[in-house]
Amino acid sequence: AVEPFGGGGLARLAENVQLVLEEAGLTALPEQELASIAEQVQLGAAQAVQPEDLLHIVAELRPDEREVIAGALAEGLPEEQRGMLEETVRPGGHADKLAFVLWLAGKARPHAWLLLAAPVGELLLALLLGRLACSRPLAAWLRGDALLSLGAAGAASLAMHAFAPALERLR
């Protein structure tokens, strides 16, 4: 059995939970009432843990700890959702990929202005070269390419602006 809390930690945790249950008098409750309480606790825990919290938690876990978490979260889930959960939590899974994308977006965002620098420089170069006599229409090509690049940079900027709330929430 995998012990995520170090050697003997899981057994110690189980003993402590047992003591709390006995002190609270929960061991004397009827089976049906205990099942109802357990169901309410699971629902509350599922509502309390947000996806962004799970993303940060999973990124810090070792592979064996990820298996334990996936097993605990998968209890009571339909089979297709269990597979999706396991695929998300496994090393190199969706959670790790999303964490990498968030890290990359965080690093790239302060430098987003550079998306405009190259097309603006290209446009200025096209204006300067437009005054020179040239057998090939280089200036026209540079102007067209600069306008296309500015359009792509504008679309990327709008996409970053549109996804900003989701990225902030996941961070």
Side-chain angles (χ1 to χ4, degrees):
V2 176
E3 294 191 41
F5 302 106
L10 195 54
R12 188 175 44 238
L13 178 65
E15 289 173 12
N16 289 338
V17 169
Q18 183 66 33
L19 285 173
V20 169
L21 291 174
E22 289 172 5
E23 287 294 321
L26 294 177
T27 55
L29 289 176
E31 188 75 27
Q32 190 176 26
E33 201 167 328
L34 280 175
S36 174
I37 290 172
E39 185 178 323
Q40 290 299 317
V41 167
Q42 282 182 335
L43 285 173
Q47 291 171 352
V49 176
Q50 297 298 317
E52 59 269 17
D53 297 333
L54 187 60
L55 178 67
H56 295 297
I57 292 168
V58 168
E60 300 295 324
L61 297 176
R62 296 186 313 260
D64 57 336
E65 293 172 331
R66 289 177 183 218
E67 289 177 21
V68 171
I69 292 288
L73 292 174
E75 288 180 17
L77 288 178
E79 190 61 37
E80 65 273 0
Q81 289 181 346
R82 283 183 190 178
M84 200 174 0
L85 177 67
E86 289 170 0
E87 180 65 26
T88 299
V89 174
R90 74 172 174 78
H94 301 310
D96 288 341
K97 290 175 184 171
L98 183 58
F100 175 71
V101 168
L102 291 175
W103 174 82
L104 195 60
K107 293 289 184 187
R109 190 169 186 160
H111 307 291
W113 64 272
L114 290 172
L115 286 174
L116 295 175
V120 167
E122 190 176 26
L123 192 57
L124 290 175
L125 185 62
L127 293 174
L128 288 174
L129 291 177
R131 297 173 191 238
L132 299 176
C134 187
S135 63
R136 305 271 183 213
L138 177 63
W141 181 85
L142 281 174
R143 267 193 311 273
D145 188 60
L147 291 174
L148 286 174
S149 298
L150 282 172
S157 176
L158 287 174
M160 285 174 51
H161 182 70
F163 289 123
L167 291 174
E168 286 302 318
R169 183 162 184 219
L170 286 173
R171 280 189 206 146

